[in-house]
Amino acid sequence: MTKKGRRRTWAAGVVSIALMTSTALAQSGTRLSDDDAAAVFGARENLQSVSLSPDGSKVALIVAGPGRSSLLMVGDLVAGGPPKTLTRASGDPDRLSRCDWSSQTRLICSLAFRQDVGGQYLSFNRLIALNADGTDLKMVTTPDSDRALGVRQHGGTLIDWGNDAANGSALITREFVPDMSTGTRLAETRRGLGVELVDTVSLNRRIVEQPRQDAVEYLSDGYGTVRIMGLRGPDVGGYASAKILYQYRKPGSRDWSRLSEFDVTTQTGFNPYAVDRDLNVVYGFEKQNGRQALFKVALDGSLRKDLVLAHDQVDIDGLIRLGRHQRVVGASYVTDRRTAELFDSAVAAMRATLGRSLKGSMLNVVDSTADGTKLLVFSGSDVDPGRYYLYDRSAKRLEEIAAVRPPLGKLTLSPVQAVRYPAADGTPIPGYLTLPPGATSARGLPAIVMPHGGPGARDEWGFDWLSQFYANRGYAVLQPNFRGSSGYGDAWFQKNGFQSWRTAVGDVNDGGKWLIAQGVDPAKLAIIGWSYGGYAALQSAALDANLFKAIVAIAPVTDLDRLREEARGYTSFAMVDTFIGTGAHIREGSPARNAATIKAPVLMFHGTRDTNVGNAQSRLMADRLRDANAVVDYVEFDGLDHYLDDASARTRLLSQSDAFLRKALKL
């Protein structure tokens, strides 16, 4: 590590500006009061996104502001001093989701928001551009017409920077919506997704790919040339088809040829992700022996497919890309921890150098300069929420920029250990166990089983604000990757966590039984889950009503038929319908229809603008529990979505759930 310099000075300014109130809570050390613990762990991530200017002299940061707001700030890595706030988003409804440098002096940012359209909350995004000093803010997304014959949700996705990686241009997708100005030269008759090259300063734009109504995706070669197009038409019912047809172009050609077909429902077929211009191949994922593997396919007309990386236990699920041209340099997978396999020897050597300085951490190259000599690196671990560094490859110098959650730096966080426990049928179930700081076993501790959301997801080793909060409060926390989790192949996923709920929830319950076998008091065992995890928490009683003595469910699915109906007004309905399926599991696997089996007290939380799982699901469950004379408390957060990205809401969630558990478990 190099000596302290100006970078550290202004980085401290970011912390003091964004987290003045939260920082004070952690000054007393690792022992916090009930309210202070909830506030510190419930605070949103201070740094939500960071990007590096093309010459490496500046960084753009999206910083959590008061309430739900977010701030775009720019820090000067050469001149030093506190970063300057350029603009802000209120979070109600708009939020800044990402900002990147289109040139040394210009940024392009994405704003995301949800809006009520005809009684349904829909997700939208819009692109804006502004100078690095905050001036000349412009809307990059083409303006909406008041005569449009449809709703434009998609405001554009950045594909790459065009031929020149730092001249201010941006290759972006554009959704074309026809309007009613028929018979005039101003009429827009085109429909569908196309691609434009946009000057982010002048907003001059040129269509690179004409819109197609069935187009859903475009991939470029990183140098401004579109090489892959994904087409997805409607099925016989008018909903989005489960199959995406991918086409490609040979170098220098404008003609499209068939590449592959990918089925979204079954996750079968070749799914392209990234084009390498120099190798003239596209990297993508496809199943091999029931697990996802990484392949590359030649784009010279032969379509020769070569296996790049596979694992005999888990899916290959990540690409590692480097530079402003986003060259593929490796791939990653997760066993107990995420592992990176690098294809480039120079990058592998660089990563080894970084690894020696940042021992025991997860490393991720977030951004780089145009010439690749300086890298923006993220490093974190189970006991470190993460921090960003600037790495100078030529000087081999590493300097810290800022921490993601500064207040937690004052606390002793809990190591996360990978464990295996036996399911009822003897199958070893992988998971992660987090013990209170200083504890060496779960014996004598109150404990929580915390199944993840999804169900097509999995937990990984690393920092988790929920599990760390409960560990700090004295609980042992088990996070099981039950059968129905993704990442372990088809046999592990089974039909999915809803249709195969007995296996998935059975594995979750077996995690509770394993904790008891480790010495946890059976009277002090609880279950907490978010989304599908909330579903599993409530549904656990259908298999064993006496196991858990308290249940906390956040944004849970409670009725499978209602979940199906929530999707009926969307183009994805057919896929949701297939995923949920039909049969006895709809009744047997819906917590709201099994409310009478629940003996433990229940606490639920839900946001009113949740488009993943409607808050009507929690309202229904609360009503059914009251009808069954069960003990239930339901908290609704007005205006918040599935993720409850609000410091006051998360603080209340943690504080109230902790008090609820202590009362229910008699702690």
Side-chain angles (χ1 to χ4, degrees), residues 490-645:
D490 291 346
W492 194 264
F493 188 70
Q494 302 206 345
K495 291 182 178 180
N496 68 53
F498 290 129
Q499 295 193 45
S500 302
W501 74 267
R502 288 185 182 277
T503 301
V505 176
D507 289 350
V508 170
N509 284 7
D510 289 338
K513 295 171 184 175
W514 176 76
L515 285 170
I516 293 172
Q518 304 307 300
V520 167
D521 185 341
K524 303 186 186 309
L525 181 65
I527 185 167
I528 299 177
W530 199 314
S531 193
Y532 178 86
Y535 162 87
L538 294 166
Q539 187 63 11
S540 65
L543 295 182
D544 191 336
N546 298 309
L547 181 62
F548 297 110
K549 303 307 186 289
I551 298 171
V552 178
I554 308 161
V557 173
T558 68
D559 186 275
L560 297 182
D561 259 339
R562 291 207 175 199
L563 183 65
R564 188 198 322 273
E565 290 307 307
E566 286 178 18
R568 188 172 289 279
Y570 298 89
T571 58
S572 60
F573 172 73
M575 288 178 290
V576 173
D577 181 48
T578 300
F579 188 82
I580 294 173
T582 58
H585 73 276
I586 298 298
R587 175 182 57 80
E588 297 168 355
S590 292
R593 305 189 192 192
N594 296 281
T597 67
I598 296 178
K599 298 179 181 179
V602 174
L603 173 62
M604 293 187 295
F605 301 90
H606 218 129
T608 61
R609 293 186 185 176
D610 192 333
T611 56
N612 297 59
V613 180
N615 62 310
Q617 295 266 348
S618 285
R619 291 181 177 182
L620 172 67
M621 190 72 204
D623 288 343
R624 294 287 176 84
L625 287 168
R626 293 185 186 109
D627 290 343
N629 295 316
V631 177
V632 58
D633 191 5
Y634 172 45
V635 178
E636 204 163 79
F637 294 111
D638 186 47
L640 290 182
D641 63 16
H642 193 65
Y643 305 99
L644 304 180
D645 189 21

Side-chain angles (χ1 to χ4, degrees), residues 354-367:
L354 288 171
R356 286 191 289 271
S357 298
L358 303 169
K359 295 179 180 180
S361 297
M362 302 176 294
L363 301 176
N364 183 26
V365 177
V366 178
D367 206 351

